[in-house]
Amino acid sequence: MKLVLIGFGNVGQGFVEILRDKGAELQARYDFAPQIVGVATRSRGTLLHPDGLDPAALLEAIAAGHLSRYPDAPGLQRDLDSLALIRASGADVLLEAGPTNLQTAQPALEYCYAALDAGMHLVLANKGPVAVALADLRARAAEVGKDVLFEATVMAGTPSLRLAQQALAGCTISEARGILNGTTNYILTQMENGLSYGDALLQAQALGYAETDPTADVDGWDAAGKALILASALFERSFALEDLVVEGIRKLTPDDIDSARAVGECWKLIARVTPEGGFVRPQRIATHHPLAAVSGATNAITFTTDLLGEVTLVGPGAGRKETGFALLADLLDLKRKQTNV
Ligand code: HSE
């Protein structure tokens, strides 16, 4: 399985670290030996080699600041633009892990269409194309017999979408509700522990939880993007961001946190989506409520179903390896399907 990776930030690096560290185990246990043939970044260079790039050397080059630090090799091409690289790569799968734009989904959406035209499956960590154009991407993929997978976009590698779409198949899901942003949950937890908002945000960025532009997290847009993805994936509803009521945590003060605590409550940024619409907003919940125990970058989602009642999943919602793992899980899913054909 040949891969082309767009975006080599926290998520892309987390994924490549997994290949570096667990490559032998993945091959032995799953007969899975993917090859990264291309990597493209916005400002830190691009690399293409039809015989594959070395994961450890890729990580060393990016740690040194630029892919130009990757060692020379016969057949290695440098500095193609991302679209040219996708088209020239001959890859089987596009991994899109570039920055999210929830309004236009660009430039990632253009890369997705180019990859489908070139006969690739799509595995997305980038929320933009899924939130904005899932139905169209799925239709285009179906025309060329390819899959669109995007487990990484909601709750990192915690299998929220796989649970809803595969394990709960046969149930009708009427609502998804929970804590869907790791950065804000981490900030709220640290504020409970006495840290300032600003210091907690800096920590969340250093830990690799925050989006490239962390205002997307603190103002609720990242959780709103996940609500759009859930609406599209679970209910086949294409809401726009403007259809949701969205409020972040920026206005919450230490006083708000103290006054909630004084009456046995805490603040959580709650996202909810149904076939009719949804919201993201801070809510006070009782400290004995199960969601109150979901702390740090951990997230939780409750699906309300007709046949099982409520099903709740708790797990990491952000993080480098935690999200990198989601890409691996999608690729293993693709491999299983290929094996079954
Ligand atoms: N910035 C996101 C979060 C990353 O904090 O949840 C995972 O989507």
Side-chain angles (χ1 to χ4, degrees):
M1 189 185 276
K2 290 183 187 247
L3 314 175
V4 60
L5 172 63
I6 304 293
F8 202 27
N10 277 310
V11 175
Q13 290 176 45
F15 170 70
V16 175
E17 283 167 9
I18 294 171
L19 293 191
R20 179 195 62 192
D21 300 341
K22 290 177 65 102
E25 182 187 338
L26 292 170
Q27 177 145 30
R29 284 183 66 186
Y30 307 104
D31 189 25
F32 182 60
Q35 256 188 339
I36 302 172
V37 295
V39 178
T41 71
R42 277 184 310 171
S43 56
R44 291 182 289 170
T46 72
L47 293 170
L48 178 66
H49 197 300
D51 297 336
L53 299 159
D54 177 57
L58 281 172
L59 290 163
E60 279 165 30
I62 206 74
H66 200 280
L67 292 177
S68 60
R69 308 297 287 269
Y70 189 89
D72 270 327
L76 182 71
Q77 291 185 70
R78 300 181 188 270
D79 298 325
L80 288 172
D81 72 47
S82 299
L83 267 181
L85 183 139
I86 290 166
R87 291 181 177 132
S89 68
D92 303 298
V93 183
L94 174 76
L95 299 176
E96 224 307 336
T100 290
N101 181 322
L102 289 173
Q103 299 288 349
T104 67
Q106 297 296 6
L109 191 54
E110 194 181 359
Y111 302 155
C112 290
Y113 287 130
L116 288 174
D117 287 344
M120 298 179 204
H121 299 286
L122 303 182
V123 169
L124 305 170
N126 189 322
K127 294 176 259 289
V130 192
V132 170
L134 178 60
D136 194 52
L137 284 172
R138 278 182 162 161
R140 295 272 286 264
E143 283 168 16
V144 291
K146 300 295 162 187
D147 282 311
V148 184
L149 300 178
F150 45 95
E151 186 64 71
T153 60
V154 180
M155 284 177 73
T158 306
S160 57
L161 295 167
R162 203 156 268 118
L163 171 67
Q165 296 183 296
Q166 295 184 15
L168 295 178
C171 288
T172 299
I173 298 175
S174 54
E175 179 191 283
R177 178 176 182 275
I179 298 170
L180 296 185
N181 181 264
T183 301
T184 48
N185 206 48
Y186 181 85
I187 293 173
L188 292 174
T189 303
Q190 294 298 61
M191 285 176 77
E192 299 265 349
N193 295 335
L195 219 66
S196 74
Y197 170 89
D199 285 346
L201 173 57
L202 285 175
Q203 283 187 356
Q205 287 180 283
L207 289 164
Y209 301 151
E211 294 299 294
T212 312
D213 174 1
T215 56
D217 295 291
V218 297
D219 290 335
W221 299 113
D222 175 78
K226 290 164 182 165
L228 296 185
I229 291 169
L230 288 164
S232 208
L234 309 186
F235 310 134
E236 296 182 7
R237 295 293 160 97
S238 297
F239 297 131
L241 268 187
E242 298 71 40
D243 298 329
L244 304 179
V245 176
V246 181
E247 188 188 331
I249 64 161
R250 212 192 272 262
K251 289 188 199 142
L252 288 182
T253 64
D255 280 351
D256 292 325
I257 298 212
D258 289 345
S259 49
R261 187 190 287 125
V263 293
E265 293 181 344
C266 65
W267 287 95
K268 292 289 180 192
L269 185 66
I270 302 294
R272 176 178 185 263
V273 66
T274 71
E276 283 71 49
F279 67 74
V280 176
R281 61 174 169 244
Q283 292 190 327
R284 277 166 72 147
I285 56 176
T287 45
H288 57 74
H289 188 282
L291 284 184
V294 176
S295 61
T298 305
N299 282 185
I301 193 163
T302 299
F303 297 107
T304 305
T305 74
D306 56 347
L307 303 180
L308 280 177
E310 290 194 346
V311 179
T312 297
L313 179 70
V314 179
R320 193 176 166 99
K321 279 208 175 157
E322 293 84 346
T323 314
F325 163 68
L327 299 180
L328 172 65
D330 281 348
L331 292 174
L332 286 170
D333 211 5
L334 281 177
K335 175 164 171 37
R336 267 191 298 273
K337 281 186 196 162
Q338 286 174 356
T339 313
N340 289 339
V341 170

